[in-house]
């Protein structure tokens, strides 16, 4: 192996793992048990897992069709649409949260309509957490599914079409199975991003234990007064996410 | 030849990076030849200290005042971790204690006090006119999280009034709490009088008697390892001077 590649690769690995090692070194191992047993930790963890999963489901439902349109559809201004889809990637999440608040809040154009019709206001609810996470995570799914779609040889789809399959049938029976690994990879990225979401969530959904306080929010607030508690919470989030991602990798994304 | 060229490019990059790290902060500013005074101050002091910083620069030609405004607890952590600060002005004695306990500062002086007010959107949609209105379940309330000084003060004042208020959100700092009021997403919040005054025209404010039980003291201290030396003390003197008291009082602080 050429050292020009291996040395930077090793540096990259150290760069990524050193901060994690720092967490492990500073963790208050002696009091770990009692800190983990606090009901608020489990409450935040459960909320994080539930909302990240719901956000991923929401992204799959809307994101896969969007990726298909971007890769295959014959829409004008496709390049512009693609650029717009990536905006949430570069937008600071807090700005995303403010934007959501301005549109979906009870004084926003959409939110007001909803509020006047149903008396329901989205901010400060668990649903708002899911919306904030999905807003930030959706581009990850769309981009990876679109990339996968582009590598599929269109002749398979054409063959199915010449045999009489409708476009929808081609999509569900030919295209989707072929891009399944890309969809899984996108969903995993999307889930991981949703799980770690902080800025948009605290801005749009607020912070209330059991309802909108996810793990990253709990970590941030713990850091204000009790850095050790923040480290414990971070480690829990880290362990759970690594566990889930490793499990998924083995099961669906194939051994690599 | 090729690997060598790449290697030297990598080396040049690394050198450039280390140079950045070394030259970032220090007592003297190489560009002007003057001194830099770095002030770490609570976010609620942003307006007042920016003005006093301009005064200081005018009185000491060649000296630059640089601010790091943020949550007092975060700033205290940064100082303990070795951030190169000259002066620390905190929004609570507890956060200042983090720094004095580490023997990083002289004896702090209380230079201002802040009291809570009820803030509401300027059209006051929920007709809030007393503290007890916040306990009404129909009134959406935002409070600061208990971990930050304004949250601790709010809990104390509500406790003194014998009220049990369930907010829709515990915000991460006082500015985020006020933003929720400005956007009309909550009907009321407990924030500092100075914050209401700074947002005059966008939010309304209401004094309440129990605020007297939760007055927030603001301590200031020059740090022992101040890179700017005596200039740090001079900035503290300016804050304590009649001019400093005027500016503080004008922004709504009680001046001792």
């Amino acid at each position: 192996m050429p050292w020009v590649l291996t040395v930077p690769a090793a540096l990259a690995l150290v760069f990524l793992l050193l901060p994690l090692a720092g967490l492990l070194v500073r963790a208050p191992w002696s009091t770990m048990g009692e800190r983990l047993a606090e009901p608020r930790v489990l409450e935040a963890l459960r909320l994080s897992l539930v909302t990240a999963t719901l956000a991923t489901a929401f992204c799959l439902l809307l994101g896969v069709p969007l990726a298909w349109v971007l890769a295959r559809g014959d829409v004008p201004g496709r390049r512009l649409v693609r650029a717009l889809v990536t905006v949430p990637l570069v937008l600071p999440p807090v700005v995303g949260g403010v934007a959501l608040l301005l549109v979906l809040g009870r004084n926003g154009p959409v939110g007001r309509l909803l509020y006047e019709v149903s008396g329901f206001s989205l901010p400060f609810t668990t649903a708002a957490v899911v919306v904030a996470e999905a807003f930030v995570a959706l581009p990850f799914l769309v981009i990876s599914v679109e990339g996968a779609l582009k590598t599929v040889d269109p002749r398979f789809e054409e063959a199915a079409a010449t045999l009489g399959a409708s476009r929808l049938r081609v999509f569900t029976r030919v295209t989707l199975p072929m891009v399944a690994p890309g969809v899984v990879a996108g969903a995993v990225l999307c889930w991981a991003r949703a799980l770690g979401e902080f800025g948009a969530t605290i801005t749009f959904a607020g912070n209330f234990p059991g309802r909108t306080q996810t793990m990253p929010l709990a970590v941030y607030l713990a850091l204000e007064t009790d850095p050790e508690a923040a480290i414990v919470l971070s480690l829990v989030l880290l362990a759970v996410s690594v566990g889930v991602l490793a499990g998924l990798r083995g099961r669906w994304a194939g051994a690599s | 030849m090729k690997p060598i060229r790449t290697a030297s490019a990598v080396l040049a990059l690394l050198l450039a990076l280390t140079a950045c790290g070394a030259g970032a902060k220090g007592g003297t500013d190489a560009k002007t030849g003057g001194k830099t005074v770095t002030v770490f101050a609570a976010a609620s002091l942003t307006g007042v200290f920016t003005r006093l910083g301009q005064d200081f620069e005018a009185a000491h030609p060649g000296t630059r005042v640089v601010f790091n405004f943020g949550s007092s607890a975060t700033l205290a952590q940064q100082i303990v971790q070795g951030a190169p600060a000259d002066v620390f002005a905190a929004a609570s004695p507890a956060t200042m204690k983090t720094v004095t306990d580490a023997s990083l500062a002289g004896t702090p002086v209380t230079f201002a006090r802040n009291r809570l007010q009820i803030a509401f959107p300027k059209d006051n949609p929920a007709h809030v006119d007393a503290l007890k209105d916040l306990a009404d379940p129909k009134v959406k309330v935002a409070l600061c999280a208990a971990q930050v000084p304004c949250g601790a003060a709010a809990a104390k004042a509500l406790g003194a009034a014998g009220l049990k208020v369930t907010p829709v959100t515990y915000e991460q700092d006082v500015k985020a709490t006020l933003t929720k009021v400005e956007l009309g997403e909550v009907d009321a919040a407990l924030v500092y009088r100075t914050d209401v005054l700074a947002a005059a025209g966008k939010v309304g404010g209401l004094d309440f008697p129990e605020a007297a039980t939760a007055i927030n003291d603001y301590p200031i201290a020059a740090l022992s390892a101040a890179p700017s030396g005596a200039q740090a003390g001079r900035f503290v003197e300016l804050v304590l001077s009649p001019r400093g008291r005027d500016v503080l009082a004008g922004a709504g602080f009680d001046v001792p």
Side-chain angles (χ1 to χ4, degrees):
Chain A
M1 284 192 286
W3 66 269
V4 176
L5 292 180
T6 50
V7 171
L11 278 177
L13 202 62
V14 169
F15 175 61
L16 287 176
L17 295 183
L18 215 53
L20 302 184
L23 276 181
L24 290 174
V25 169
R26 289 293 300 272
W29 294 106
S30 53
T31 56
M32 193 65 110
E34 55 196 270
R35 282 173 184 276
L36 286 180
E38 278 180 41
R40 294 184 68 155
V41 175
L42 284 177
E43 205 174 50
L45 183 63
R46 192 186 60 86
L47 188 70
S48 275
L49 293 174
V50 168
T51 53
T53 306
L54 286 174
T56 306
F58 178 84
C59 288
L60 278 169
L61 216 58
L62 299 182
V64 173
L66 177 57
W68 182 82
V69 168
L70 287 176
R72 292 278 192 278
D74 197 14
V75 282
R78 198 162 52 160
R79 281 192 174 173
L80 181 68
V81 174
R82 186 180 296 129
L84 290 176
V85 166
T86 54
V87 165
L89 283 182
V90 291
L91 208 63
V94 176
V95 178
V98 172
L100 286 171
L101 212 47
L102 289 177
V103 173
L104 299 173
R106 62 178 182 177
N107 286 315
V110 179
R112 174 174 304 187
L113 204 68
L114 183 73
Y115 186 61
E116 278 166 7
V117 170
S118 62
F120 176 72
S121 139
L122 191 57
F124 315 121
T125 62
T126 305
V129 178
V130 176
V131 170
E133 290 178 350
F135 177 77
V136 173
L138 184 56
F140 288 84
L141 182 91
V142 173
I143 288 172
S144 64
V145 175
E146 192 206 347
L149 280 168
K150 279 188 174 153
T151 61
V152 170
D153 191 336
R155 282 179 298 180
F156 290 109
E157 295 167 334
E158 284 158 15
T162 56
L163 292 172
S166 68
R167 282 195 95 169
L168 185 62
R169 196 170 157 81
V170 172
F171 175 74
T172 54
R173 303 303 288 269
V174 178
T175 318
L176 214 47
M178 289 179 81
V179 296
V183 174
V184 171
V188 166
L189 258 183
C190 177
W191 184 82
R193 181 66 188 86
L195 193 68
E197 218 304 304
F198 170 75
T201 308
I202 200 163
T203 309
F204 181 54
N207 167 59
F208 193 88
R211 192 161 66 214
T212 61
Q213 188 181 72
T214 56
M215 286 297 272
L217 274 59
V219 170
Y220 179 84
L221 283 166
L223 208 49
E224 291 282 330
T225 46
D226 186 358
E228 287 195 340
I231 294 172
V232 171
L233 290 168
S234 308
L235 282 177
V236 170
L237 188 61
L238 200 70
V240 169
S241 50
V242 167
V244 169
L245 294 178
L248 278 179
R249 210 142 236 264
R251 189 162 301 209
W252 283 304
S256 55
Chain B
M1 204 55 208
K2 213 165 201 176
I4 294 173
R5 211 189 300 157
T6 322
S8 53
V10 169
L11 215 77
L13 187 72
L14 283 176
L15 278 175
L17 286 174
T18 40
C20 285
K25 284 266 157 63
T28 48
D29 190 328
K31 221 181 286 171
T32 59
K35 290 253 183 183
T36 301
V37 182
T38 308
V39 179
F40 280 35
S44 43
L45 295 167
T46 305
V48 169
F49 270 36
T50 304
R51 277 181 66 184
L52 291 177
Q54 286 162 358
D55 285 5
F56 193 82
E57 286 176 349
H60 301 86
T63 301
R64 246 161 36 91
V65 183
V66 179
F67 291 104
N68 179 12
F69 293 113
S71 135
S72 300
T74 309
L75 296 176
Q77 286 295 335
Q78 289 173 351
I79 292 170
V80 171
Q81 299 294 332
D86 291 301
V87 176
F88 181 40
S92 72
T95 44
M96 178 59 86
K97 195 165 174 294
T98 312
V99 173
T100 49
D101 280 357
S103 323
L104 296 173
T107 313
V109 183
T110 300
F111 67 97
R113 295 199 166 91
N114 214 345
R115 60 172 68 216
L116 294 172
Q117 262 194 340
I118 303 167
F120 46 80
K122 62 176 185 299
D123 56 346
N124 200 356
H127 310 292
V128 172
D129 58 13
L131 189 64
K132 65 171 172 24
D133 294 345
L134 272 56
D136 182 341
K138 286 196 289 291
V139 176
K140 283 194 179 191
V141 179
L143 296 179
C144 295
Q147 290 90 337
V148 294
C150 61
K156 215 166 159 187
L158 289 169
L163 286 172
K164 191 168 158 26
V165 172
T166 307
V168 292
T169 176
Y170 291 101
E171 293 289 313
Q172 78 269 33
D173 58 45
V174 67
K175 297 287 180 201
T177 309
L178 191 70
T179 303
K180 297 294 193 295
V181 180
E182 277 182 36
L183 292 175
E185 292 304 329
V186 295
D187 301 315
L190 291 184
V191 296
Y192 294 123
R193 186 164 66 185
T194 54
D195 296 298
V196 175
L197 218 60
K202 285 179 274 186
V203 303
L206 190 67
D207 279 316
F208 59 98
E210 292 83 0
T213 62
I215 302 280
N216 243 55
D217 286 354
Y218 282 58
I220 190 168
L223 299 178
S224 338
S228 78
Q231 293 287 63
R234 288 192 198 108
F235 186 85
V236 174
E237 281 165 23
L238 171 67
V239 173
L240 298 171
S241 72
R243 165 69 184 159
R245 295 162 62 94
D246 273 357
V247 177
L248 282 160
F253 285 99
D254 293 327
V255 186

